[in-house]
Amino acid sequence: MATTITIQQAAAATGLSIHTLRYYEKIGLIDPVPRQSNQHRMYRQEDLRWIAFLLRLRATGMSIQQMLRYAELRRLGEQLGSVSERKVMLERHTVALEAELLELQETLGILRDKVALYAGLEQKLKAAIDA
């Protein structure tokens, strides 16, 4: 297995466009990607793991600005301030996500109740037509 992949392969593996990968690197969301002598980017497994984590954060509603802050702190390494702030960021995001999930579950319950109501009503109306 290759230890590095091209930007085209990284785009296919992550579902991001080549443009987005370049943009994320330009704004500092992704660390500078090592390049070959011909200046082509070569993504490593650790780059792909980081991108996968960013995609999870994004999918759960974390803003680009928050992700940028997290990336800044990550670059500082395992220093107490960096680790503590990252932990707090993720704790807050987790609490917000849990609240959102609870609200969605409540809404799902209401929708299921409505579907059951309409199913019952539909059966009554069909029975009345058949009678």
Side-chain angles (χ1 to χ4, degrees):
M1 183 176 138
T3 57
T4 60
I5 61 174
T6 65
I7 194 168
Q8 292 86 359
Q9 293 167 321
T14 62
L16 294 173
S17 69
I18 291 170
H19 172 78
T20 300
L21 287 170
R22 288 180 180 142
Y23 173 72
Y24 280 5
E25 184 179 353
K26 179 181 176 181
I27 66 171
L29 201 50
I30 299 172
D31 290 338
V33 177
R35 294 175 186 248
Q36 291 181 320
S37 58
N38 61 6
Q39 295 304 307
H40 290 174
R41 290 171 176 85
M42 295 305 293
Y43 289 80
R44 303 159 299 183
Q45 286 304 309
E46 58 260 32
D47 299 318
L48 297 178
R49 281 191 299 275
W50 172 241
I51 292 167
F53 181 67
L54 291 173
L55 291 174
R56 295 262 182 188
L57 293 177
R58 191 73 180 131
T60 56
M62 185 176 278
S63 70
I64 294 287
Q65 289 75 22
Q66 289 172 307
M67 292 186 330
L68 281 167
R69 178 63 184 152
Y70 190 93
E72 280 177 33
L73 293 167
R74 180 177 171 260
R75 277 187 208 95
L76 295 176
E78 294 184 4
Q79 299 176 17
L80 180 58
S82 169
V83 169
S84 296
E85 190 173 338
R86 283 184 278 166
K87 181 182 89 92
V88 167
M89 286 181 76
L90 294 179
E91 285 172 342
R92 287 180 181 157
H93 190 65
T94 298
V95 167
L97 185 57
E98 287 170 342
E100 184 179 337
L101 285 171
L102 181 60
E103 187 176 328
L104 285 172
Q105 288 172 336
E106 290 171 357
T107 301
L108 184 58
I110 291 167
L111 292 175
R112 285 184 175 142
D113 290 347
K114 283 289 188 187
V115 167
L117 174 79
Y118 289 131
L121 184 56
E122 186 178 47
Q123 284 179 349
K124 284 182 188 178
L125 292 171
K126 284 181 182 178
I129 291 172
D130 292 341

